[in-house]
Amino acid sequence: MLAEDAAPPFEALDIDLDLAPLPAMKAAGTANFDFSGLLSQPLRLHEDLANGCGGQTWPAGFVLGKHMLRYHHSDLQDARILELGAGGGLVGLAVARGCTIGHPLYVTDQIEMFDLMGKNIGLNGLEAKVKAAILNWGDALSQEIIDFKPNVILAADCVYFEPAFPLLLATMTDLLALCPSATIYFCFKKRRRADMHFLKKAQKKFNVVELVDEDRPVFSREGLFLFGITAKAQASQSQKVTP
Ligand SMILES: C[S@@+](CC[C@H](N)C(=O)[O-])C[C@H]1O[C@@H](n2cnc3c(N)ncnc32)[C@H](O)[C@@H]1O
């Protein structure tokens, strides 16, 4: 829910956590994920770090996935959904399985994750509902994505590597220019002070609103933040994008 009034105070910048550990490295394997029971049929996901950190699931992905399943279960019929930095596809696949969607959604990442995204789409029989695509932050959007014109964008744990911050901001800018009414559902875990620089820059460029979520007291204690990000000009309209 994008609700400035009802949302808890925006306090991400107050956190003085200097360094929180990255998730423990998992051995390659396949496991089931049901998002705390929100998916009646669990997702089956293969995780493998051989081709990069996106090969395993990260904490913000579970928070964002649960948020979408709980609050957007039935309002995404007309949404054109695209996930950035999807890794193995945790969030996008959860939405495809557990939410009512009217269009196939895109899970996107760098080429190193392409095979894993495809494998996980297949493991869950979601070929008709999910497409994998390469989307390198900072690159011009492909014609396929321009034609799709996403209006719901998902991004979980994409703030973790400082040199990529300007690239991610550039892609978010491009997507919000392509579809000015789009909302980016953005979840990240603050691990380093530099992560807050990303947030400050995002606040300058976009309308950034903390989302209401019943799990917030739990995930905020772990340094996780969940935002709805819209184009500045859409600030007044963002209140309408509520679950
Ligand atoms: C920490 S992982 C998060 C994966 C997944 N969203 C989750 O929550 O489990 C970050 C993802 O961002 C992707 N990524 C990093 N830099 C990128 C770039 N420049 N362009 C596109 N994707 C990038 C990585 O490949 C990785 O899959």
Side-chain angles (χ1 to χ4, degrees):
M1 183 183 298
L2 293 181
E4 258 161 327
D5 297 342
F10 187 95
E11 57 194 17
L13 296 171
D14 294 335
I15 286 231
D16 193 29
L17 193 80
D18 198 32
L19 186 67
L22 295 169
M25 287 176 68
K26 289 188 195 170
T30 306
N32 292 343
F33 299 91
D34 73 354
F35 290 81
S36 306
L38 289 168
L39 283 180
S40 51
Q41 184 187 359
L43 276 185
R44 190 136 182 86
L45 285 188
H46 188 66
E47 297 178 276
D48 186 349
L49 287 167
N51 292 324
C53 68
Q56 77 173 38
T57 54
W58 285 52
F62 290 103
V63 170
L64 182 57
K66 281 176 74 175
H67 181 83
M68 299 308 290
L69 291 168
R70 188 177 280 140
Y71 298 103
H72 294 282
H73 172 266
S74 43
D75 67 359
L76 296 174
Q77 183 67 36
D78 299 323
R80 301 178 302 278
I81 304 166
L82 177 139
E83 184 179 3
L84 295 171
L90 175 70
V91 183
L93 291 172
V95 168
R97 163 133 314 150
C99 300
T100 305
I101 58 170
H103 305 280
L105 62 78
Y106 279 91
V107 287
T108 74
D109 207 295
Q110 296 179 300
I111 190 155
E112 290 80 2
M113 290 296 119
F114 189 74
D115 287 349
L116 186 63
M117 291 189 287
K119 182 180 175 93
N120 285 332
I121 292 168
L123 272 177
N124 292 282
L126 286 168
E127 293 88 344
K129 289 187 167 185
V130 184
K131 297 181 191 178
I134 294 164
L135 193 163
N136 290 308
W137 306 334
D139 284 3
L141 298 174
S142 68
Q143 194 58 48
E144 188 180 2
I145 299 302
I146 290 171
D147 293 343
F148 184 59
K149 205 175 175 185
N151 60 357
V152 170
I153 295 144
L154 309 170
D157 246 324
C158 290
V159 178
Y160 66 102
F161 180 55
E162 211 174 340
F165 291 179
L167 306 177
L168 179 57
L169 285 166
T171 291
M172 291 166 67
T173 302
D174 289 349
L175 288 167
L176 291 178
L178 177 67
C179 184
S181 61
T183 299
I184 304 174
Y185 293 88
F186 196 92
C187 188
F188 80 101
K189 181 172 168 90
K190 182 187 183 292
R191 298 187 174 87
R192 299 180 180 84
R193 286 184 194 282
D195 298 346
M196 291 298 113
H197 300 159
F198 177 90
L199 190 55
K200 279 186 188 164
K201 287 197 172 124
Q203 285 177 287
K204 276 197 186 136
K205 286 172 89 73
F206 314 120
N207 179 43
V208 179
V209 178
E210 194 159 10
L211 299 179
V212 173
D213 189 292
E214 68 178 64
D215 286 343
R216 183 182 178 278
V218 177
F219 65 69
S220 63
R221 277 200 295 276
E222 294 162 13
L224 283 146
F225 297 93
L226 179 59
F227 297 109
I229 299 180
T230 52
K232 280 271 190 199
Q234 295 293 315
S236 57
Q237 290 185 25
S238 67
Q239 302 303 319
K240 294 178 189 157
V241 189
T242 54

